[in-house]
Amino acid sequence: MPGTRDHARADAPPQDSPDPVSDVVRWAAFSCVLVPVTLLICGQSFGGAAGTAAGLVALTCTCRALLRQAERSAARALAEQTLPHRGRHGRTGAGAHRGGRHPGGAAPVD
């Protein structure tokens, strides 16, 4: 019957991936396999296909490391923005360590 599919609804919002970096790395790994196989099918030598695969693997690893570093930097910047401002000298509270007068006990201690 038309219109009775439960797995795909037109009014449902698209699901975002919880880890987009992993999705990118998965597709890159897929291409690291697909490209050399395609080269072999098209008549490229095994050495050329292996060299291409090695280059793609190196590029994928470098991109993954850069994406993870950017992700950490963005998380750190977001965390710094959400922290409350701690004042001029970075101390909290107006307690005894702020250099103010202390109540009572003005006599020197022996």
Side-chain angles (χ1 to χ4, degrees), residues 67-81:
L67 283 169
R68 292 290 182 192
Q69 181 181 2
E71 199 175 51
R72 285 191 303 267
S73 296
R76 190 173 355 178
L78 183 63
E80 288 175 359
Q81 287 178 355

Side-chain angles (χ1 to χ4, degrees), residues 5-108:
R5 287 183 278 165
D6 291 332
H7 65 279
R9 295 181 48 188
D11 59 344
Q15 295 291 329
D16 288 336
S17 173
D19 189 12
V21 173
S22 293
D23 289 344
V24 171
V25 171
R26 250 184 261 127
W27 279 107
F30 174 71
S31 72
C32 289
V33 173
L34 182 66
V35 170
V37 168
T38 304
L39 288 174
L40 287 174
I41 291 172
C42 291
Q44 182 76 19
S45 69
F46 181 76
T52 301
L56 287 172
V57 167
L59 183 65
T60 300
C61 291
T62 302
C63 288
R64 180 184 181 275
L66 290 172
L67 283 169
R68 292 290 182 192
Q69 181 181 2
E71 199 175 51
R72 285 191 303 267
S73 296
R76 190 173 355 178
L78 183 63
E80 288 175 359
Q81 287 178 355
T82 59
L83 289 177
H85 185 64
R86 294 187 63 180
R88 183 175 179 185
H89 296 289
R91 295 185 182 142
T92 58
H97 298 290
R98 297 294 299 223
R101 294 183 180 252
H102 304 287

